[in-house]
Amino acid sequence: YELIQPPSVSVSPGQTASISCSADKLGEKYASWYQQKPGQSPILVIYQDTKRPSGIPERFSGSNSGNTATLTISGTQAMDEADYYCQAWHRTTVVFGGGTKLTVL
Amino acid sequence: QLQLQESGPGLVKPSETLSLTCTVSGGSISGSSSYWGWIRQPPGKALEWIGSIHNSGTTYDAPSLRSRVTMSVDTSQNQFSLKLRSMTATDTGIYFCARDLMVQGQEGMDVWGLGTTVTVSS
């Protein structure tokens, strides 16, 4: 089972960034999203498709339907520049996507 | 506040076995219904799940690594461990431990260690 993400996404400061994660019938599973900055551990930003852990800014939101889960960052800030990974649980295994590098320019 | 810290050798020879330990502080492994996971990241590449273990000893692991992986938990030390056999250069990377809420409830991995770098070289 493979989660497919675009290698890179670019966004201007203050605009909305959308990062997709695609797999067969992904909408029937829960998707999680992680932010990872260079040299740092991943941080959970979205779980169960739409939920934000405590401390994650409201500008991070998620959706999941059909074959695609989407992470949306509204009002993107320079500090949001990072790699983002989606994740799902499939047949007793944890699967990560290949990651998307978000550039804020 | 729950914290996790990985420990182990930074350098492993080809064909040898990697042994890593994750020490949990700020909470008890035995008192938790959580699973505890291992994830790795080759240089410049994506995250890869290795496997997860419950304090009962129940494990789930990645099919691609299953034949080489052993996980264990030591509740008296509040630690869990990973052994990866027959190491090769492709196993080089950063190894993370994390609290895994995916197995039960699919709530993600919410607490991560800082990671430890493992290099496979003679």
Side-chain angles (χ1 to χ4, degrees), chain B residues 49-120:
Chain B
W49 177 69
I50 299 171
S52 299
I53 185 168
H54 188 264
N55 60 37
S56 65
T58 301
T59 60
Y60 293 92
D61 43 40
S64 62
L65 297 171
R66 185 164 296 148
S67 64
R68 299 196 289 134
V69 166
T70 300
M71 291 178 287
S72 60
V73 63
D74 185 343
T75 56
S76 68
Q77 297 293 318
N78 225 32
Q79 296 175 333
F80 60 103
S81 299
L82 169 72
K83 291 188 186 299
L84 184 60
R85 296 177 290 278
S86 303
M87 294 283 283
T88 70
T90 59
D91 295 312
T92 292
I94 301 173
Y95 285 71
F96 297 97
C97 60
R99 182 168 69 173
D100 181 357
L101 303 180
M102 287 296 288
V103 176
Q104 293 176 329
Q106 300 179 51
E107 297 181 11
M109 297 175 172
D110 66 336
V111 182
W112 291 64
L114 295 178
T116 187
T117 298
V118 175
T119 302
V120 182

Side-chain angles (χ1 to χ4, degrees), chain A residues 29-32 34 36 39-44 46-48 83 85 87-89 92-99, chain B residues 6 39 41 45-49 52 60-63 66 96 100 102-103 105-110 112-115:
Chain A
K29 310 175 191 299
Y30 279 132
S32 302
Y34 298 84
Q36 186 182 31
Q40 298 184 16
S41 305
I43 295 172
L44 180 67
I46 294 289
Y47 68 98
Q48 288 187 344
D83 292 328
Y85 295 92
Q87 179 195 49
W89 174 252
T92 73
T93 65
V94 172
V95 183
F96 284 100
Chain B
E6 306 86 353
I39 304 94
Q41 186 171 36
K45 295 189 176 181
L47 300 169
E48 179 185 19
W49 177 69
S52 299
Y60 293 92
D61 43 40
R66 185 164 296 148
F96 297 97
D100 181 357
M102 287 296 288
V103 176
Q106 300 179 51
E107 297 181 11
M109 297 175 172
D110 66 336
W112 291 64
L114 295 178

